[in-house]
Amino acid sequence: MDYNIYLCAMSQQDDLFKNIVSHCKEYGFIFPSSEIYDGLGAVYDYGPYGIELKKNIQDFWWKAMVQLHENIVGLDSAIFMHPTTWKASGHVDAFNDPLIDNKDSKKRYRADVLIEDVVEKYRQKNDKEVEKAQKRFGDAFDEAQFRATNPNILRNQAKMDEIETRFKAALEAGDMAEIKQIIVDLEIACPISGTRNWTEVRQFNLMFSTQLGSVADESSTIYLRPETAQGIFVNFLNVLNTSRQRIPFGIAQVGKAFRNEIVARQFIFRTREFEQMEMQFFVRPGEEMQWYNYWKDSRMKWHRALGFGADKLRFHDHLKTAHYANAAVDIEFDYPFGFKEMEGIHSRTDYDLTQHEKHSGKKLRYFDPEINEHYVPYVVETSVGLNRTFLAVLCNSYKEETLENGETRVVLSLPANLAPIKVAVLPLMKKDGLPEKAREIMDVLKYDHQLFYDEKDSIGKRYRRQDALGTPYCITIDHQTLEDNTVTIRDRDTMAQERVSIDTLEAIVGKKVGWKQLL
Ligand code: ATP
């Protein structure tokens, strides 16, 4: 198998991705961390526009999950937790990734990712076959039948199934030698050195540890949380007793998590410090699959509302569920480097609460008045990466356009509510009272919306800058404004300008960027 063909196919997308990464830096969305010291691997800072976009995505999640669900409440638990938490949750013993090194390039890889990339290559081959056939047959094309009968597709599918079955068995058995053998048999080469000179596969724990207090000994070792979920589980009783919730109900939290990822790359997709938006939904035992399906559906709708087309999203069932789950699925987004996980939905059973009962000696039960029974609730989790959603939103909205007059522009066609700046206020000239009039408009709109005032450069350049930031509306104040109290409002996507009265601006902008539409 030629791994290089796969890399070549990815290179066009690579260029697009590189442009998106440099756009982020140039326009103040994302900077490499501590850049003056040459940065720190896979750690990033969010600039003035990045933080606004990230905050808006987070708000959208919070509104969709907490504000619109009477039976979901919020929580903000600490990053540091009692060390026994991680013993109980299984992270001390089982939060491992299989790693493998190429002896020539000295590069380290996740063995599972190397194998999954090969499967993905076959999947892409099949998609290409379908695309070609679609063009050939036009309206008469029946995709399902084609996929079920075309020999090339069937051959590729058989390969995929074979690899996945073998890989799943190796994972379940914890058989690292077999995982190495799969890599050898698939003839996977290191993309850097091009050789197949691999080390053995080893397990590597992903938790960062540090010392609490001034004495460094074994007993003072604590961990930076690798997921926010455990903060929710240990607070289950506190929330239950104070929020007047009845099962089924959920607890939501947004916060930082830390994982010592073996290979952190692809910009903010995989970093060692990241943010999760998690919700744990507590249900009656036996009803978990019904809620699992409900949340699968509901979360997919949330992603669609972000403006992602159906072809950009897909479900991906886990080959091997984690030690705590009885069902698990990912929602994947089609990033420029392929379909990858953006959100995980897991049916976590009563594993976590039961484990915390065992290790703490405290009962974490619920009395269900409807069936007159005490039980440990089952849990369905939805866990989406804020940074990965941010990256998906950026990739989905970044466009390099050639206009009718031959000029080019880069535009971020973000959903209006998510845009870092909602309205740019632009006096056509820096004189004749136009800036003063612009300031009056700012004073009306600034309490409700993030604005941007700009009077420098030609109006064309100023529009381009706002397009690049994703600002949905530009209001321009010109000499006519002084005569009849009207301004032009320019739409980012169509670039059409409409003349409207200043008195109507608040209502127009409010309607266009209000949350209701998105929710
Ligand atoms: P992966 O398989 O990509 O390592 P995971 O299955 O370990 O991810 P989960 O434990 O299910 O991820 O975490 C839930 C979500 O948290 C993921 O869907 C992802 O959006 C986000 N996430 C996990 N690890 C990282 C990371 N290193 N950087 C950024 N986001 C992450």
Side-chain angles (χ1 to χ4, degrees), residues 82-136:
H82 192 285
T84 309
T85 309
W86 305 111
K87 191 76 195 147
S89 67
H91 283 83
V92 172
D93 297 320
F95 194 52
N96 302 317
D97 273 345
L99 68 85
I100 190 166
D101 292 11
N102 182 268
K103 289 183 194 163
D104 300 317
S105 67
K106 307 273 183 272
K107 281 276 166 198
R108 181 160 290 179
Y109 298 90
R110 263 175 66 177
D112 53 332
V113 172
L114 287 180
I115 296 169
E116 278 159 12
D117 279 352
V118 174
V119 175
E120 180 60 25
K121 197 201 92 175
Y122 281 113
R123 194 167 282 130
Q124 285 176 0
K125 267 188 179 173
N126 277 0
D127 288 347
K128 282 225 173 77
E129 291 276 353
V130 169
E131 220 174 278
K132 268 197 297 183
Q134 208 151 23
K135 277 195 193 130
R136 207 162 356 117

Side-chain angles (χ1 to χ4, degrees), residues 31-34 39-45 264 267-268 271-273:
F31 309 125
S33 156
S34 16
L40 181 65
V43 186
Y44 294 93
D45 298 336
F267 195 34
I268 56 167
T271 50
R272 300 193 170 101
E273 171 180 346

Side-chain angles (χ1 to χ4, degrees), residues 110 259 261 269-271 274 276 341-344 346 383 385 388:
R110 263 175 66 177
R259 295 181 188 179
E261 298 280 2
F269 178 80
R270 186 179 301 287
T271 50
F274 56 96
Q276 292 183 313
E341 170 176 349
M342 177 158 52
E343 169 152 7
H346 309 120
S383 174
R388 286 190 190 178

Side-chain angles (χ1 to χ4, degrees), residues 193-208:
S193 67
T195 71
R196 300 180 197 141
N197 194 9
W198 297 108
T199 62
E200 296 309 308
V201 177
R202 283 161 294 149
Q203 291 282 29
F204 176 79
N205 192 290
L206 299 181
M207 279 201 294
F208 281 103

Side-chain angles (χ1 to χ4, degrees), residues 496-509:
Q497 299 188 28
E498 199 188 335
R499 208 150 189 115
V500 300
S501 159
I502 289 181
D503 303 332
T504 59
L505 277 179
E506 227 180 328
I508 294 176
V509 175

